[in-house]
Amino acid sequence: MQQDGLPAEIDLSRPSAARVYDYFLGGAHNFEIDRQLAEQIASMTPNLAATMRSGREFLRRAVRALLDAGIDQFLDIGSGIPTVGNVHEVAQAANPKARIVYVDIDPVAVAHSRELLAGNDLTTVLHADLREPDRILAEARESGLIDFARPMGILLAGVVHFIPDADRPGDILATLRAAAAPGSFLVISHSTFEDQPQEMLDAQRLSARTDTEITLRSRAEISAFFGDWTILEPGVVHMPLWRPDSPSDVDEHPERFGAFGGVGRYDQPAG
C-alpha cells in the first residue's frame, strides 16, 4: 500500500483524467501531479472548469429525464470519481430504490469511489475498460443490481472520446446497445472540434499527457454512436442546449463548452 491507503500498483507519477476532472469539479480526490496539469490546461482555456461543470449539469438533466421516463437502473461507464451531484445522488433522491453500477478504468477513481459508496447497497463500482464491453456487461449482471430484461439507462458521459478510432468505438457502442431491453436509454456527451477556437483544441491535446488521450469528433460521428435508437429532442446539441432547466442557463455561446450531448431511446421493434 502507499499514501492514502491506495494500492501500490497505482502510478501517481502520471496525471489521471478522472482526477483532473475531479479537481475541476471541486473534488478532493486528486494529487499534485493532477493539479499541475489541470492548472496548465486552465491557463490555456480559462473557462475549462465551467466546461467540466456544464458536462456534469448535462448528465444530471439527462438522468432526471430518464427517471421521469421510469428508469430505475443505471450503468454509468467512465464515471470517474462520484463527486457532488453524481448519478446515484440524483437518482436516489428521486427514487430511493434506484440502482447504479459505476464503471471506471482508473484504479484511483475506483478505490475512492468504493470508499465513498461504502454502505450504499444499491450501488457498486467496477474496475473495467470501456474497450471490454462484454466484460462490463457480464460483471454488471453478476452484481445483481442490473436486470437486463428491463429498461435501463446506459450513461457514457465524457468517456467515448477517450476511445481512439483504432479501437472501433462504434462496435463497442453496438455491443452495449445490443444488451439493452426495449425502452432503455443511452446518454452520451463527447468532446468536439466543431465550432472550437484554436486554444481549446490546443488544450485538448494536453490530454496526451494522461493515460487517456482525447479524440475529438464531429456531431455526425457522435450521432452515429446511437445507432438506430431514437434520438430525443432537441437532438445531439451543445451540452447547455439539451433541455436546460431555464432559458437563463444558456449563455450566448453554448458552443464554448466544446462538447455535444444527446440521449437516445431504444423503441420496441415493430412486429
Side-chain angles (χ1 to χ4, degrees):
M1 300 293 286
Q2 58 180 220
Q3 60 171 307
D4 295 331
L6 298 173
E9 64 269 19
I10 292 176
D11 182 7
L12 296 182
S13 67
R14 285 176 61 84
S16 150
R19 300 192 306 264
V20 169
Y21 184 59
D22 176 72
Y23 173 77
F24 278 120
L25 289 175
H29 303 286
N30 50 76
F31 302 101
E32 183 60 29
I33 191 73
D34 309 304
R35 295 188 283 273
Q36 290 175 357
L37 177 58
E39 291 300 332
Q40 183 179 353
I41 295 172
S43 70
M44 300 173 65
T45 56
N47 72 324
L48 192 58
T51 297
M52 300 291 187
R53 289 193 293 270
S54 178
R56 182 54 62 99
E57 289 161 3
F58 161 75
L59 177 60
R60 286 198 293 264
R61 295 195 304 274
V63 168
R64 289 199 300 266
L66 269 57
L67 289 161
D68 288 344
I71 298 298
D72 61 2
Q73 50 181 2
F74 299 85
L75 180 60
D76 185 0
I77 306 174
S79 53
I81 299 168
T83 51
V84 176
N86 52 67
V87 171
H88 77 273
E89 286 184 348
V90 174
Q92 292 175 350
N95 180 356
K97 296 183 179 179
R99 301 180 301 282
I100 298 89
V101 173
Y102 288 115
V103 184
D104 204 85
I105 190 175
D106 186 332
V108 175
V110 170
H112 282 310
S113 298
R114 287 174 175 162
E115 180 181 358
L116 290 168
L117 296 170
N120 188 330
D121 294 336
L122 297 180
T123 66
T124 194
V125 185
L126 307 180
H127 182 205
D129 188 331
L130 175 57
R131 290 169 290 194
E132 300 177 298
D134 289 318
R135 176 188 166 195
I136 290 174
L137 294 167
E139 292 190 12
R141 286 190 181 94
E142 291 169 6
S143 75
L145 292 179
I146 302 289
D147 177 359
F148 283 82
R150 299 176 54 247
M152 66 175 172
I154 302 173
L155 312 178
L156 295 167
V159 63
V160 182
H161 51 224
F162 292 124
I163 307 298
D165 292 340
D167 287 336
R168 304 178 67 88
D171 290 349
I172 293 170
L173 269 290
T175 298
L176 294 173
R177 293 195 310 270
S184 294
F185 291 82
L186 174 62
V187 176
I188 299 175
S189 59
H190 191 300
S191 294
T192 184
F193 56 80
E194 292 189 9
D195 308 321
Q196 297 309 300
Q198 188 59 47
E199 58 265 27
M200 175 64 81
L201 302 181
D202 292 340
Q204 294 281 19
R205 293 191 182 98
L206 284 177
S207 70
R209 289 181 48 192
T210 74
D211 291 326
T212 43
E213 184 175 357
I214 290 174
T215 298
L216 303 177
R217 295 188 172 96
S218 68
R219 187 199 307 257
E221 290 174 305
I222 297 165
S223 298
F225 290 138
F226 291 97
D228 61 357
W229 289 25
T230 300
I231 298 178
L232 305 188
E233 292 296 333
V236 177
V237 295
H238 291 294
M239 292 186 301
L241 297 176
W242 198 89
R243 303 190 183 184
D245 293 328
S246 75
S248 63
D249 291 338
V250 181
D251 65 21
E252 295 180 355
H253 298 284
E255 74 282 356
R256 70 187 178 96
F257 296 107
F260 289 117
V263 177
R265 183 183 61 236
Y266 179 20
D267 290 328
Q268 181 71 47

